[in-house]
Amino acid sequence: MRQKLWKYVGNIVLALGVIVTAFPFIVMLSVSLQSMNEIYSGELILIPRTWQFKNYHDAMTNGNWARYILNSIYVTGTATVVSLFVNAMTGYVFARIRFPFRKALFILVLVGMMVPPQVTLVPLFVLVKNFPLAGGNNILGSGGTGFVDTYFGLMLPFLAGSFGVFMCRQFYVMFPKELDEAAKIDGCSRFRAFISIFLPLSKAVLASLAVLKFIGAWNEYTWPLVMTNTGSGRVTTVQLALTSFRNEGEIFWNQLMAATIVTTSVVFVVFLTMQKYFVAGILAGSIKE
Amino acid sequence: MKRFKLKHRDAVSAYVMLIPFMVFFLLFVIYPMIKSVLDSFTNYNLYQRDFIGFRNYVRLAQDKIFLRSILNTLVFAVFSIVPLMVLGLTAAILVNRQSKVMYACRAALIYPYVTSMVAVSMVWLYMFDPTNGMLNKILGLFGAPRQWFLHDETQALWCLIVVNIWKNIGYVMMIYLAALQSVPTSLYEAATMDGAGGFRMTFSITLPTIKPITFFLLTTLSVECFKTFEQVRIMTNGGPVSSTTTITHQIYMAAFSEFKMGYASAMSVVLLAIVFVMTVINLKLGRQLEDL
């Protein structure tokens, strides 16, 4: 009897929690379909009188949104695919091959994982801006803008980050030694063994890592903010574009919420279809040795 | 001789395969980290770079706004983390059942964690808006006076804390849920045989077994809180009157609006030191807890 009562209380608390969590998203959807009059009215409106789908059109033509979305897709997609392959290969090397300085190099990788990106933000920006022979720079790295305002510049932190290496290494360590030996007997080089034996076996870990990387890169704000600081808006990503709605005098909340829904819908779809891999990835990152 | 050769060849292929990652990693992570320590002893401002010893650090210790940002970050961390742990664990216990409804609840609770901080900030900017915002409309229904939220010096930081808690409950829940599911069911069965109730089991079995995870979460969340930047930059830009500025926001402002790169580097080193200490405590205490 008492057990049952507690179960009811638990369910009510959970239901309330879910409603409170979902409420801002409901508001987001609702406001994106309201007219400005309804927003200004002071009344609490959750279901708009007439659904203003026009807001979406207006929001997307407020700036070059087709371009922003393509920019984000290009940067996120390329950074995810390239870094996934490179991380897997590096993780494989650390897990399966014995070579001098392996331990020291791996400790460096761990250190790199712990350093907050905010700490390296300033010198990284200076380095990227003054990179020799890039973006009009001379050999000493002055005169031009380096990799600032380029797609490559935007992708850099994702290509250099070491979390994926750590995760892949933890994964490849678990395989039996016989796998390497079998490859060796067949005359496979280490690279061949990685490509044709280990890579096909790592779909699960790569799927998790891909989801984490995709969501992380798509959602990134700080680095693009710094990277396009002096720029023309040529490589503006969706997250940056979203903040520009605020810079104008009057805020059109309905358009802002419409644009917010558009930018989050990509992550929403990825999350819904790949939730299992996302959770697995988060957990793999939190397990200590 | 042949064995040596094989080993030798292994090392060569290892180094070759490491090149693509290591070049990027050393150049764009490790080098900037060292550089930020070196720059912190200079007055670097994009035009000149002179060695000035510890002068940046001395100035930091007297910089009222920077000290305020440390205090803000601490308040933000403590008042985010305590509710997060409690609510996250509660949520994990409540959704720890196998059913379609529970899976849907989990997804709903995790979703804010997946959403970008920019989008989250935009929605909450509307929620908190003093004139047309949702929260004031709700307060109006109960006849409560209008609040200024993000525009009020005494409320702004608390608003950011609420958003932070709302966004991260799902993360804490996810980690705790995995921990709960790793507790052997035989323990609960034995306890039921001994006549223990739900509460008793929570305090005698569940909480002790998830202690290491609690510790992991404490340190991870602390580090995350100390890195807080995006919502501050978007929602308040540190104001009103520096009441919401954080360490990373100060770094950003010094570097990219005043171009005092050397000074910003000194702040970065302070942040690095704080995060480093937290990580070491995590590793050290974490090991002690395992021995217990």
Side-chain angles (χ1 to χ4, degrees):
Chain A
M1 187 60 207
R2 224 183 63 189
Q3 283 279 24
K4 223 171 181 175
L5 185 75
W6 276 112
K7 210 171 169 185
Y8 277 123
V9 173
N11 284 343
I12 291 168
V13 171
L14 182 61
L16 278 176
V18 170
I19 291 170
V20 170
T21 309
F23 185 65
F25 292 109
I26 297 167
V27 170
M28 180 162 98
L29 190 63
S30 160
V31 171
S32 78
L33 293 166
Q34 290 182 20
S35 65
M36 279 316 279
N37 283 336
E38 284 173 296
I39 294 167
Y40 286 146
S41 70
E43 280 174 76
L44 185 102
I45 299 167
L46 281 182
I47 300 166
R49 255 157 257 149
T50 46
W51 292 16
Q52 309 277 337
F53 289 106
K54 192 170 97 9
N55 294 337
Y56 284 81
H57 176 263
D58 292 346
M60 291 300 102
T61 46
N62 186 343
N64 192 352
W65 271 82
R67 169 120 212 181
Y68 307 148
I69 292 171
L70 285 177
N71 282 346
S72 275
I73 291 175
Y74 179 63
V75 170
T76 306
T78 314
T80 304
V81 172
V82 174
S83 73
L84 212 55
F85 178 78
V86 173
N87 286 350
M89 185 165 73
T90 314
Y92 160 80
V93 171
F94 278 120
R96 312 301 308 183
I97 310 180
R98 308 201 142 267
F99 57 91
F101 304 113
R102 182 176 73 150
K103 209 166 174 195
L105 282 175
F106 192 64
I107 288 173
L108 204 61
V109 167
L110 291 182
V111 169
M113 207 167 81
M114 284 168 201
V115 176
Q118 289 85 347
V119 168
T120 55
L121 186 70
V122 180
L124 185 59
F125 170 77
V126 175
L127 173 68
V128 167
K129 187 171 181 292
N130 296 340
F131 207 83
L133 301 178
N137 279 345
N138 60 21
I139 191 115
L140 296 173
S142 55
T145 50
F147 291 121
V148 172
D149 237 348
T150 65
Y151 292 115
F152 180 70
L154 284 177
M155 290 173 201
L156 262 182
F158 304 106
L159 302 179
S162 54
F163 170 71
V165 172
F166 173 74
M167 212 166 122
C168 289
R169 188 250 173 202
Q170 300 304 81
F171 179 76
Y172 288 128
V173 165
M174 296 184 307
F175 286 100
K177 219 172 160 43
E178 286 76 32
L179 214 53
D180 301 288
E181 278 155 15
K184 203 175 269 177
I185 289 165
D186 285 351
C188 266
S189 70
R190 288 291 192 170
F191 183 70
R192 261 307 286 279
F194 164 67
I195 294 287
S196 44
I197 299 173
F198 285 90
L199 206 54
L201 289 173
S202 29
K203 277 180 197 127
V205 70
L206 291 186
S208 290
L209 202 49
V211 178
L212 290 186
K213 278 173 182 287
F214 185 91
I215 293 179
W218 184 271
N219 288 348
E220 177 66 26
Y221 167 70
T222 311
W223 182 244
L225 174 72
V226 169
M227 256 302 93
T228 54
N229 200 5
T230 51
S232 53
R234 197 176 65 87
V235 296
T236 301
T237 62
V238 285
Q239 308 294 343
L240 275 180
L242 204 50
T243 59
S244 66
F245 278 93
R246 246 203 110 203
N247 299 338
E248 297 147 24
E250 186 188 12
I251 304 176
F252 292 99
W253 289 111
N254 47 6
Q255 288 186 28
L256 173 56
M257 290 302 125
T260 309
I261 287 194
V262 172
T263 57
T264 50
S265 60
V266 175
V267 165
F268 183 70
V269 171
V270 170
F271 173 66
L272 273 196
T273 51
M274 308 278 283
Q275 195 191 342
K276 195 179 86 186
Y277 294 106
F278 175 78
V279 174
I282 293 285
L283 294 178
S286 67
I287 293 163
K288 284 184 296 181
E289 259 182 293
Chain B
M1 190 60 203
K2 207 182 164 211
R3 247 179 96 189
F4 170 78
K5 248 183 167 171
L6 256 179
K7 252 177 108 179
H8 193 68
R9 215 169 63 196
D10 258 5
V12 172
S13 39
Y15 288 130
V16 170
M17 288 169 81
L18 281 181
I19 285 174
F21 176 74
M22 277 302 170
V23 167
F24 275 81
F25 176 67
L26 292 176
L27 199 56
F28 298 111
V29 176
I30 298 299
Y31 168 75
M33 184 179 78
I34 298 167
K35 197 75 186 357
S36 106
V37 176
L38 294 179
D39 278 351
S40 73
F41 296 107
T42 69
N43 61 355
Y44 183 39
N45 62 2
L46 289 182
Y47 301 105
Q48 54 178 0
R49 186 193 252 122
D50 299 319
F51 180 79
I52 56 167
F54 281 90
R55 222 177 296 163
N56 281 332
Y57 291 96
V58 174
R59 263 181 60 204
L60 269 185
Q62 297 157 342
D63 184 336
K64 284 218 176 76
I65 296 179
F66 183 68
L67 295 178
R68 179 73 198 261
S69 79
I70 294 183
L71 180 70
N72 286 342
T73 311
L74 272 175
V75 171
F76 182 83
V78 171
F79 288 94
S80 294
I81 292 171
V82 175
L84 264 177
M85 303 294 277
V86 175
L87 293 172
L89 180 59
T90 312
I93 292 172
L94 290 177
V95 299
N96 190 12
R97 275 173 280 165
Q98 311 290 332
S99 78
K100 283 238 163 74
V101 181
M102 287 303 136
Y103 294 144
C105 287
R106 284 180 208 174
L109 290 169
I110 296 171
Y111 189 57
Y113 177 68
V114 182
T115 313
S116 81
M117 196 38 114
V118 180
V120 164
S121 302
M122 291 306 164
V123 177
W124 282 95
L125 267 176
Y126 175 70
M127 302 289 281
F128 286 134
D129 189 66
T131 38
N132 305 306
M134 187 50 69
L135 291 183
N136 269 331
K137 286 182 179 179
I138 294 173
L139 285 178
L141 287 184
F142 299 102
R146 173 193 289 183
Q147 300 297 316
W148 289 92
F149 297 117
L150 294 167
H151 299 268
D152 184 324
E153 208 185 317
T154 57
Q155 292 178 2
L157 189 60
W158 300 100
C159 292
L160 293 184
I161 289 171
V162 166
V163 175
N164 196 40
I165 294 171
W166 173 82
K167 190 175 194 296
N168 289 308
I169 282 182
Y171 171 74
V172 179
M173 182 194 78
M174 240 187 310
I175 304 280
Y176 267 137
L177 192 58
L180 289 179
Q181 287 170 346
S182 70
V183 179
T185 41
S186 58
L187 280 180
Y188 292 110
E189 280 156 18
T192 320
M193 298 249 273
D194 290 346
F199 260 117
R200 189 62 209 277
M201 282 199 268
T202 305
F203 280 96
S204 312
I205 301 175
T206 314
L207 289 183
T209 33
I210 57 175
K211 210 158 133 190
I213 293 293
T214 302
F215 202 78
F216 163 80
L217 277 170
L218 269 179
T219 39
T220 323
L221 291 174
S222 314
V223 171
E224 282 309 310
C225 284
F226 270 86
K227 296 198 289 195
T228 301
F229 169 72
E230 301 188 350
Q231 63 270 55
V232 174
R233 163 79 188 158
I234 299 167
M235 293 173 81
T236 64
N237 205 10
V241 215
S242 308
S243 62
T244 57
T245 188
T246 57
I247 299 176
T248 43
H249 182 249
Q250 284 299 306
I251 295 176
Y252 176 82
M253 294 307 276
F256 297 104
S257 90
E258 297 168 52
F259 299 103
K260 293 193 243 168
M261 302 300 196
Y263 197 51
S265 295
M267 293 177 183
S268 304
V269 172
V270 172
L271 177 66
L272 183 64
I274 293 172
V275 170
F276 180 75
V277 168
M278 282 177 182
T279 312
V280 169
I281 292 175
N282 183 14
L283 293 175
K284 280 259 157 74
L285 280 182
R287 225 163 264 158
Q288 274 172 14
L289 278 178
E290 275 157 34
D291 294 342
L292 283 177

